Amino acid sequence: MKIKKTASMRLFEVLAITFITVTAIFCVLPFVLIVSSSLTSNQTIIKEGYSLWPRDLSLESYRTIFQNAAGILRAYGVTIYCTVIGTGIGLIMNAAAGYVLSRKEFRYRNVVSFLIYFTTIFGGGMIPWYYMYSGVLGLKGTMAVLW
């Protein structure tokens, strides 16, 4: 069964396709910029800035990555470790807090809920935490700083 399209339906389709196309282009452009900048030398990027097309083709960045493969693999190991452990700890902590806060007989339920919500909304920010961890606690450059 074929539906006869009215002028307003056609206009809507054109606008929807245009919107989706523009949105898709905006989503793809950062990846194009990353690939383009990886194929351009650092000196050219410093002098002329980033561009969507490589100005002078250079494989210098890829050479650097493959020369320092151990460092790259270590960085991926830290990333995977933090993702797995952080997700596991976060899941356990959130489930435990959610269970406790859902119990009507927990006397301090409202106080604890308020403290959790308040600190979520009004955090100190990333820079004060960095200064505290690196300067005060001396954890700069260690795995302990992540936790």
Side-chain angles (χ1 to χ4, degrees):
M1 181 172 166
K2 193 169 185 177
I3 298 174
K4 188 171 183 173
K5 294 183 182 178
T6 63
S8 62
M9 289 174 72
R10 278 189 240 128
L11 177 65
F12 175 77
E13 283 183 358
V14 168
L15 290 176
I17 290 171
T18 304
F19 176 75
I20 290 171
T21 303
V22 169
T23 304
I25 289 171
F26 279 127
C27 290
V28 170
L29 278 178
F31 296 106
V32 172
L33 186 64
I34 288 170
V35 171
S36 171
S37 62
S38 75
L39 295 172
T40 305
S41 69
N42 287 339
Q43 291 78 19
T44 305
I45 291 175
I46 290 170
K47 278 190 235 176
E48 301 174 19
Y50 293 96
S51 69
L52 287 177
W53 310 113
R55 294 204 176 113
D56 63 334
L57 193 61
S58 169
L59 298 176
E60 175 186 338
S61 57
Y62 293 101
R63 212 172 295 126
T64 303
I65 287 173
F66 288 121
Q67 286 174 350
N68 190 15
I72 302 295
L73 291 175
R74 184 174 184 277
Y76 273 115
V78 169
T79 301
I80 292 168
Y81 170 78
C82 291
T83 302
V84 170
I85 299 298
T87 302
I89 290 174
L91 183 66
I92 290 168
M93 296 296 285
N94 283 325
Y99 174 75
V100 169
L101 292 176
S102 72
R103 309 298 297 175
K104 297 264 189 213
E105 59 269 8
F106 179 52
R107 182 184 295 178
Y108 304 108
R109 187 173 91 169
N110 292 334
V111 174
V112 173
S113 292
F114 173 76
L115 291 175
I116 290 172
Y117 299 145
F118 187 81
T119 56
T120 301
I121 294 170
F122 299 106
M126 195 181 306
I127 294 172
W129 279 108
Y130 172 77
Y131 282 139
M132 186 184 79
Y133 286 138
S134 65
V136 177
L137 300 175
L139 295 175
K140 185 176 182 180
T142 65
M143 288 294 284
V145 75
L146 298 174
W147 306 113

